[in-house]
């Protein structure tokens, strides 16, 4: 796998160094590094910038789309920990968890979150994708970008067809390994050497369907994978400077990996909402404010998170931002502080400074304090091209 990734990197370098006529490259690169001042890691805000880049760890990520009008390829490359931290990875075939050494994390299969080629037919009304699938057409447009053909912890290979009959409307159907069953050791077919351990079971669980419609006033999307996962999205933008969205994911109990207090399997639902208003245009004040909300609905262990935030532009390049996070745990006994006391409500605060270097580059430096006595600081950066 290391040789494949190195070869892909060499090929990409060659392509980007000598653009053929009609070919374009677009995408972005981003990275985030966070340091924890305390000896013990503790759960903090889900939406804090350090969390966004890697759940309290460092991360580097690159998304690229190299294309002509009718065909091309795109991929996401991502490394957690910058190669300084050993990383635990679950094998998508055997289900076993193994630890990747820090020196090896740059060249592993899991770094390629998606990599696929695509072609467009019939005046771009039909798009066919093949490879390790992502979703560039029907995913939700919120911070989570929910979809039913890829997820960071899954290895998803397959083929997908997207129909675009009119502007803004997409229908997609695909077959992939994303939520498919795999043969296990105790299956008769494995014992009889008819199939190998980890081979796909080709049944209805390989199929997924999704759709999206978008215009200047609203966007709605949704989909379902027959393996047991669905998502939905609604975004509103009809009112100038006011934006709202809600996105959600549902995972069936058979594949969620979650259990209740009795040890029985239970489904898992996540909802995310964002409401923001920009005062710059109507009032001339370089101010944006809003609230992000996040709910994890899980039997015996639900939690609700609220994040009011404000951003003020001191200049066109320098912005001060402040966010407060409040988290309500419905099962306090499952969330304890350092002393072992149950926690029902916790909070955190995150002041930050954002620097904009033109329209395509942003750098943010932040500090986070958590009620559970965790102090952390970090820096994030993003460049669009």
């Amino acid at each position: 796998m290391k040789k494949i990734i190195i070869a892909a990197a060499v090929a990409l370098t060659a392509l980007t160094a000598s653009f053929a006529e009609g070919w374009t490259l677009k995408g972005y690169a981003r990275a985030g590094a966070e340091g924890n001042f305390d000896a013990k890691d503790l759960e903090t805000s889900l939406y804090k910038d350090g969390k966004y880049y890697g759940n309290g760890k460092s991360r580097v990520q690159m998304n690229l789309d190299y294309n002509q009008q009718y065909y091309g390829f795109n991929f996401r490359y991502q490394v957690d920990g910058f190669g300084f931290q050993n990383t635990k990875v679950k094998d998508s075939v055997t289900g076993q968890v193994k630890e990747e050494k820090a020196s090896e994390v740059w060249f592993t299969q899991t770094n390629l979150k998606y990599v696929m080629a695509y072609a467009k037919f019939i005046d771009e009304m039909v798009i066919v994708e093949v490879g390790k699938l992502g979703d560039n057409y029907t995913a939700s447009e919120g911070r989570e970008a929910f979809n039913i053909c890829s997820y960071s912890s899954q290895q998803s290979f397959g083929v997908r067809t997207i129909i675009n009959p009119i502007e803004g409307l997409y229908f997609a159907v695909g077959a992939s390994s994303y939520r498919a069953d795999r043969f296990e050791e105790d299956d008769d077919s494995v014992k009889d050497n008819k199939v190998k351990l980890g081979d796909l079971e080709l049944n209805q669980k390989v199929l997924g369907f999704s759709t999206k419609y978008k215009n200047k006033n609203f966007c709605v999307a949704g989909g379902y994978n027959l393996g047991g996962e669905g998502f939905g999205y609604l975004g509103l933008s009809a009112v100038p400077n006011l934006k709202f969205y809600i996105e959600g994911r549902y995972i069936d109990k058979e594949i969620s990996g979650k259990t209740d207090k009795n040890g029985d399997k239970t489904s898992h639902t996540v909802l995310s909402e964002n409401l923001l208003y920009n005062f710059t245009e109507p009032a001339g004040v370089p101010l944006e404010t809003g609230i992000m909300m996040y709910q994890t609905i899980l039997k015996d262990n639900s939690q609700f998170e609220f994040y009011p935030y404000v951003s003020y532009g001191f200049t066109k390049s320098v912005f001060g931002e402040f966010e407060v996070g409040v988290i309500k745990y419905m099962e306090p006994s499952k969330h304890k502080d350092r002393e072992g006391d149950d926690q029902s409500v916790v909070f955190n605060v995150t002041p930050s400074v954002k620097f904009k270097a033109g329209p395509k580059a942003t750098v943010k430096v932040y500090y986070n304090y958590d009620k559970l006595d965790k102090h952390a600081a970090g820096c994030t950066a993003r460049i669009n091209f």
Side-chain angles (χ1 to χ4, degrees):
M1 187 62 198
K2 183 184 295 187
K3 292 181 179 179
I4 295 175
I5 296 177
I6 294 175
V10 172
L12 176 65
T13 302
L15 285 171
T16 55
S18 56
F19 281 91
E21 183 178 357
W23 284 84
T24 60
L25 178 68
K26 62 181 180 180
Y28 63 86
R30 65 183 181 186
E34 180 179 292
N36 180 6
F37 299 158
D38 303 288
K40 182 179 179 181
D41 288 332
L42 290 172
E43 183 178 358
T44 61
S45 161
L46 180 65
Y47 278 110
K48 179 170 62 68
D49 282 277
K51 282 290 187 180
Y52 180 55
Y53 282 92
N55 295 323
K57 299 181 294 185
S58 303
R59 171 178 290 181
V60 62
Q61 182 185 93
M62 179 176 291
N63 286 36
L64 293 178
D65 183 13
Y66 189 65
N67 66 83
Q68 280 204 1
Q69 181 177 358
Y70 296 109
Y71 50 90
F73 70 90
N74 53 42
F75 73 91
R76 170 180 287 184
Y77 173 81
Q78 178 177 307
V79 176
D80 293 336
F82 287 122
F84 298 126
Q85 301 165 309
N86 290 354
T87 304
K88 291 184 178 180
V89 177
K90 183 177 181 180
D91 190 286
S92 61
V93 176
T94 64
Q96 296 178 341
V97 177
K98 63 179 181 179
E99 187 172 70
E100 292 181 342
K101 294 181 180 179
S103 59
E104 299 176 352
V105 301
W106 294 96
F107 302 106
T108 65
Q109 179 179 323
T110 54
N111 290 346
L112 293 174
K113 300 305 177 183
Y114 60 78
V115 53
M116 57 188 181
Y118 61 89
K120 301 178 181 180
F121 306 93
I122 315 177
D123 294 328
E124 302 184 59
M125 294 177 60
V126 178
I127 304 110
V128 178
E129 302 171 330
V130 61
K132 188 175 183 181
L133 299 176
D135 190 345
N136 296 322
Y137 292 97
T138 61
S140 68
E141 297 190 357
R143 194 163 189 171
E144 301 300 323
F146 290 140
N147 62 86
I148 45 86
C149 66
S150 67
Y151 190 56
S152 60
S153 64
Q154 302 285 337
Q155 301 299 299
S156 173
F157 299 89
V159 60
R160 201 164 76 116
T161 299
I162 300 98
I163 309 297
N164 178 207
I166 61 174
E167 182 178 1
L169 178 62
Y170 298 91
F171 299 98
V173 57
S176 76
S177 60
Y178 176 51
R179 291 295 186 185
D181 288 332
R182 294 179 180 272
F183 287 100
E184 300 178 353
E185 289 182 339
D186 58 353
D187 289 326
D188 291 338
S189 297
V190 175
K191 295 177 181 179
D192 296 338
N193 294 319
K194 295 179 180 179
V195 298
K196 295 180 180 179
L197 174 67
D199 283 352
L200 291 178
E201 293 191 41
L202 298 179
N203 53 33
Q204 73 276 8
K205 293 184 179 181
V206 305
L207 297 176
F209 307 87
S210 56
T211 185
K212 176 190 282 187
Y213 177 72
K214 181 179 181 180
N215 60 31
K216 65 179 181 179
N217 295 321
F218 74 95
C219 175
V220 60
Y224 189 73
N225 183 291
L226 298 186
E229 178 179 342
F231 82 96
Y233 173 81
L234 173 64
L236 303 177
S237 54
V239 179
N241 303 300
L242 179 68
K243 293 183 179 180
F244 169 79
Y245 72 73
I246 178 171
E247 57 185 336
R249 163 187 276 149
Y250 168 81
I251 304 178
D252 184 75
K253 66 180 182 179
E254 296 301 325
I255 59 172
S256 70
K258 306 293 184 180
T259 57
D260 60 21
K261 60 184 179 182
N262 297 319
D264 296 326
K265 295 178 180 179
T266 183
S267 60
H268 184 202
T269 301
V270 171
L271 296 174
S272 173
E273 304 93 25
N274 193 350
L275 176 68
L276 65 89
Y277 188 79
N278 192 323
F279 289 88
T280 305
E281 291 297 327
V285 179
L287 175 68
E288 181 179 277
T289 185
I291 182 170
M292 293 181 287
M293 296 167 283
Y294 192 92
Q295 297 90 51
T296 301
I297 303 172
L298 185 65
K299 187 176 180 181
D300 301 329
N301 194 21
S302 295
Q303 67 186 60
F304 300 88
E305 308 181 29
F306 306 90
Y307 301 94
Y309 65 95
V310 61
S311 174
Y312 183 82
F314 297 104
T315 70
K316 292 183 178 180
S317 301
V318 181
F319 297 78
E321 301 186 340
F322 188 79
E323 178 182 298
V324 177
V326 180
I327 305 174
K328 169 64 176 176
Y329 298 120
M330 304 308 293
E331 188 62 40
S333 63
K334 295 188 177 182
H335 303 274
K336 300 180 183 294
D337 61 13
R338 290 176 185 266
E339 286 71 39
D341 296 329
D342 295 352
Q343 298 293 301
S344 59
V345 178
V346 300
F347 71 88
N348 61 82
V349 294
T350 309
S352 60
V353 180
K354 181 171 68 176
F355 304 91
K356 296 183 70 174
K360 294 188 176 182
T362 303
V363 175
K364 181 183 287 188
V365 180
Y366 66 89
Y367 165 79
N368 176 264
Y369 168 74
D370 190 280
K371 174 182 179 288
L372 300 179
D373 296 324
K374 176 179 176 180
H375 302 262
C379 179
T380 67
R382 174 170 173 146
I383 300 176
N384 298 321
F385 48 85

